[in-house]
Amino acid sequence: MQSQRSQFDIPEDIAYFNCAYGAPLLRASQQRIVAGIARKSYPWKTVPSDFFDDAETIRTLASELLGGDADGYAVVPSASYGISTAARALEHQLQKGDRILVMAEEFPSNVLPWKRIAFERQATVHTVPTPASGNWTQAIIDELSLHVKIVALSNCHWTNGTYIDLIKIREACNHYRCTLVVDATQSLGAMPFALEQVKPDFLVAAGYKWLLFPYGVGLLYVAEPWRHARPLEESWLARQGAEDFASLVKYSDTYMPGARRFDVGEKCVSTTLPGAIAALEQIKAWGIDTIVQSLQAINDRLATHLAERGFRVPDRAYRCPHMFGAVVPPGYTGNLVTELKKKNIFISQRGNAVRFSPHVYNDNNDVQRLLEAIEEIIK
């Protein structure tokens, strides 16, 4: 796919290789957000269906693009909200001495909720150490046992883009009867997710990175066995009959079907959800497979160049296609992120790795500028 830079409002002198930090908004999303602001300015034009329609559109688009059924999706504001929802639903199955498995250097959103319920239930959070081989999949499987009740993972390590094979891990979880909770924030929308094969009990993704959502909108997918669990909050918008505003004083004890009970309160934010809808529509139009091919081509070029200059780059077999981290050469003592920023080139550092995460707005000029700048800086 050719560069899609024209779909974004990115100045020509900016080379942004930092989508894993936060994606720029699509022009289409900007336009719908502005229209949403205008609608909020005239509340007398708002009708009851406006409180529900955007969320339903997101459920439908998410199922078409990412898999699963529309009823399985909830609209959440963040990864931490989604993980906390999963933790609330699962806490009752933990007993004293049970384990919750997480990866070393995992993002806090997929650790802190587990630490809380582990403390309250006298369970433990067990951290899988970083494998020297780079094979996270086998390292995780090797740590599973009958004592592990919950496995909380991502399929792309957020610090360096290392790939975790969740299909293999699902098979191992089935053997040990573990519940699988996935934080796909750093992959959903930029690489395929085999939802029907992985069968996560809960799948969470903050949307402001690879899904190109406005900040504050994310997705939670809940497998059918958990759709009757207790939600994190009790929103009137999640109850049967909520569309009938005149009858809201007749409190309903019945939730709407599917995962709607897990929606965040005030879910239909007219200033952000339309922007998320535009993003899902555009990703669907591009096709995730096409996005993957474009990003992998850029990253393979970058990784090859960096390896030839002494950077330590993860083996391609253990590397996600859309992002990767590289350790700078031993002889370089500067701050590569800062030096590149001076040239309007943007990457991140996470842990001991500098992280490269392009998207379809990057063009050949961006790549060439980045490679030439690195060449100059590390001399």
Side-chain angles (χ1 to χ4, degrees), residues 236-254:
W236 65 272
L237 285 163
R239 300 300 178 106
Q240 291 279 19
E243 302 92 339
D244 182 4
F245 286 13
S247 299
L248 289 180
V249 293
K250 300 175 183 178
Y251 310 120
S252 173
D253 292 327
T254 305

Side-chain angles (χ1 to χ4, degrees), residues 42 138 159 164 214 320:
Y42 310 109
Q138 192 58 51
T159 65
I164 297 99
C320 288

Side-chain angles (χ1 to χ4, degrees), residues 96-168:
K96 182 177 181 180
D98 287 342
R99 288 182 171 185
I100 304 166
L101 201 71
V102 300
M103 298 187 295
E105 297 187 340
E106 178 59 281
F107 194 80
S109 294
N110 202 14
V111 176
L112 300 179
W114 304 119
K115 290 183 68 174
R116 181 183 182 111
I117 67 165
F119 174 77
E120 292 175 348
R121 304 292 294 182
Q122 295 184 292
T124 59
V125 174
H126 180 70
T127 302
V128 180
T130 302
S133 66
N135 188 346
W136 270 110
T137 303
Q138 192 58 51
I140 292 164
I141 291 173
D142 289 344
E143 295 286 342
L144 295 179
S145 71
L146 292 174
H147 296 291
V148 176
K149 301 302 180 183
I150 299 170
V151 178
L153 304 172
S154 57
N155 61 339
C156 171
H157 202 293
W158 78 288
T159 65
N160 57 19
T162 306
Y163 174 69
I164 297 99
D165 189 338
L166 294 181
I167 295 177
K168 290 183 179 179

Side-chain angles (χ1 to χ4, degrees), residues 230-283:
R230 179 183 176 183
L232 193 60
E233 59 176 299
E234 299 296 342
S235 170
W236 65 272
L237 285 163
R239 300 300 178 106
Q240 291 279 19
E243 302 92 339
D244 182 4
F245 286 13
S247 299
L248 289 180
V249 293
K250 300 175 183 178
Y251 310 120
S252 173
D253 292 327
T254 305
Y255 291 102
M256 288 183 176
R260 290 170 181 82
R261 69 176 63 196
F262 304 111
D263 285 342
V264 66
E266 299 188 7
K267 60 187 174 186
C268 273
V269 184
S270 64
T271 53
T272 53
L273 262 62
I277 290 170
L280 288 171
E281 290 171 346
Q282 183 59 75
I283 293 172

Side-chain angles (χ1 to χ4, degrees), residues 192-210:
F193 188 90
L195 194 146
E196 286 77 13
Q197 293 174 276
V198 175
K199 293 182 172 62
D201 294 277
F202 294 85
L203 171 69
V204 181
Y208 67 96
K209 300 175 188 284
W210 303 98

